[in-house]
Amino acid sequence: MTKTTLKQFLQSHTKDTSLTQIIVSLTEVCKEIAEQLRTAPLDSIHGATQNINTSGDIQQKLDVLANDQIRKSLESIQEVHALVSEELPDADILHEAGEYNIYTDPLDGSSNIDINWTTGTIFGIAKSGTEYLIPGERLDVAGYVLYSSACELVLTLGNGVASFILDKGEFLLTRTNILIPEDGRYYSVNESKSADFDDKSLALLAQLKAEGKSLRYSGALVSDIHRVLLKGGVHFYPRTKSHPEGKLRLLYEINPIAKIVEEAGGRAYSAGKRTLLITPTKLHETVPISFSKR
Ligand code: AHM
Ligand code: MG
């Protein structure tokens, strides 16, 4: 049976041609990134640059490359207002008159790049004009691409979650209406930092262990959340001593993922509050986060 392509899926799921164009552009770049990752060890594009981004992370060569590719792909779309990226200090205004803002972590899981492990691209799209600091509930589209043994796109247009596998240059629909399973065997957290967790996070950790859950942690949000999406369980990154407000960034990492998790029947909470309701006060704001079904 012939499978539905991403473009066919978009034709039947949105009438917004600008949104379709933006999603297609972003996913075309993800195909390029997937190919780049495949040959990076041969092409000497592994390794760090001399630069440090606004969050204090050393940028990897592929972080910068992925960011530049995304920026370039959006340049020709007049409806795009600005790009908000982990790798850029400020919102990068592409077209003053455009209305759509793109929020992205171009290559998530930087510490995994050099070891040929899982990484991802995260993106959110909102028709919010000159307003960049919006709560995640205003995202019109959220998605991520997981670069692993298969390259997989997970997407929501605000009406359920679908996923697509890249095959011979096309993203092909493989799952619709993804719902996080009620229960899961795994919990996912950087447990090496547990001595710095607050009482609530410690209690959660103890409870998960008492329930007999096993630990899985990849160090890439995209792959850790993909497990939760398909297998259930919990992924959390709480406050720690080194990151008192959490490590993960709200606008372009957490919000798109939180939107997907909620659309898949799950919960995303930050310090007792529904994460998608938080209005950020700055572009690279971080918050503690927990993603789960219940
Ligand atoms: P990155 O975007 O520079 O890769 O940083 C974000 C990553 C997340 O993917 C992951 O969940 C987290 O940082 C891992 O942090 P830690 O190494 O502290 O466990
Ligand atoms: Mg990241």
Side-chain angles (χ1 to χ4, degrees):
M1 212 175 73
T2 38
K3 290 212 183 293
T4 306
T5 64
L6 172 64
K7 283 172 199 153
Q8 289 167 337
F9 176 89
L10 292 173
Q11 264 164 17
S12 58
H13 282 77
T14 176
K15 293 193 168 31
D16 186 329
T17 50
S18 308
L19 215 48
T20 299
Q21 205 187 349
I22 295 167
I23 297 168
V24 169
S25 273
L26 288 171
T27 53
E28 286 299 315
V29 176
C30 291
K31 292 179 194 173
E32 287 171 29
I33 295 173
E35 182 59 19
Q36 247 155 239
L37 287 166
R38 212 172 59 76
T39 55
L42 296 169
D43 298 339
S44 313
I45 47 173
H46 272 169
T49 65
Q50 306 286 319
N51 312 332
I52 294 182
N53 69 18
T54 312
S55 306
D57 306 325
I58 297 174
Q59 289 177 315
Q60 302 296 303
K61 290 180 195 165
L62 281 166
D63 283 330
V64 177
L65 211 56
N67 182 73
D68 292 349
Q69 283 163 298
I70 288 177
R71 191 192 186 284
K72 196 159 191 311
S73 81
L74 297 171
E75 264 172 10
S76 60
I77 307 177
Q78 299 300 319
E79 289 78 9
V80 172
H81 181 69
L83 176 65
V84 173
S85 165
E86 176 176 326
E87 308 306 340
L88 299 170
D90 304 305
D92 189 354
I93 297 166
L94 300 186
H95 305 285
E96 286 289 352
E99 283 190 282
Y100 291 87
N101 291 308
I102 320 302
Y103 299 87
T104 186
D105 179 353
L107 196 54
D108 177 60
S110 300
S111 69
N112 287 354
I113 296 174
D114 281 1
I115 54 165
N116 187 25
W117 226 35
T118 47
T119 51
T121 295
I122 306 172
F123 59 89
I125 308 170
K127 199 173 182 181
S128 56
T130 51
E131 265 185 282
Y132 312 124
L133 301 176
I134 55 162
E137 63 169 0
R138 285 185 57 191
L139 289 178
D140 298 301
V141 171
Y144 64 77
V145 173
L146 172 69
Y147 308 108
S148 187
S149 28
C151 177
E152 185 161 2
L153 163 69
V154 173
L155 185 70
T156 182
L157 305 175
N159 189 13
V161 181
S163 76
F164 304 78
I165 294 289
L166 181 61
D167 184 37
K168 300 185 191 77
E170 288 284 359
F171 278 109
L172 302 177
L173 183 65
T174 46
R175 293 187 180 97
T176 52
N177 297 321
I178 297 175
L179 289 175
I180 300 175
E182 280 304 323
D183 207 4
R185 293 174 51 202
Y186 303 114
Y187 70 98
S188 168
V189 64
N190 187 340
E191 202 169 340
S192 70
K193 297 180 193 270
S194 62
D196 298 342
F197 289 0
D198 59 21
D199 289 348
K200 248 185 144 182
S201 303
L202 282 174
L204 173 62
L205 192 57
Q207 182 199 328
L208 291 164
K209 288 178 167 180
E211 289 171 6
K213 310 283 189 214
S214 280
L215 172 65
R216 295 285 187 277
Y217 189 70
S218 75
L221 173 62
V222 169
S223 64
D224 285 318
I225 212 62
H226 201 59
R227 186 187 314 101
V228 173
L229 203 66
L230 301 184
K231 300 284 183 190
V234 182
H235 175 71
F236 61 114
Y237 204 113
R239 295 191 165 104
T240 62
K241 222 173 265 168
S242 57
H243 295 96
E245 296 308 323
K247 178 185 174 190
L248 300 180
R249 280 120 323 185
L250 180 59
L251 273 171
Y252 44 79
E253 288 183 318
I254 290 178
N255 276 344
I257 302 283
K259 174 93 180 164
I260 289 169
V261 165
E262 283 206 359
E263 284 288 330
R267 289 159 46 104
Y269 269 73
S270 299
K273 189 171 177 183
R274 204 179 134 219
T275 306
L276 289 176
L277 297 181
I278 300 173
T279 303
T281 54
K282 54 183 181 191
L283 231 44
H284 298 277
E285 183 163 325
T286 62
V287 292
I289 183 69
S290 106
F291 298 108
S292 62
K293 172 73 180 187
R294 287 172 282 136

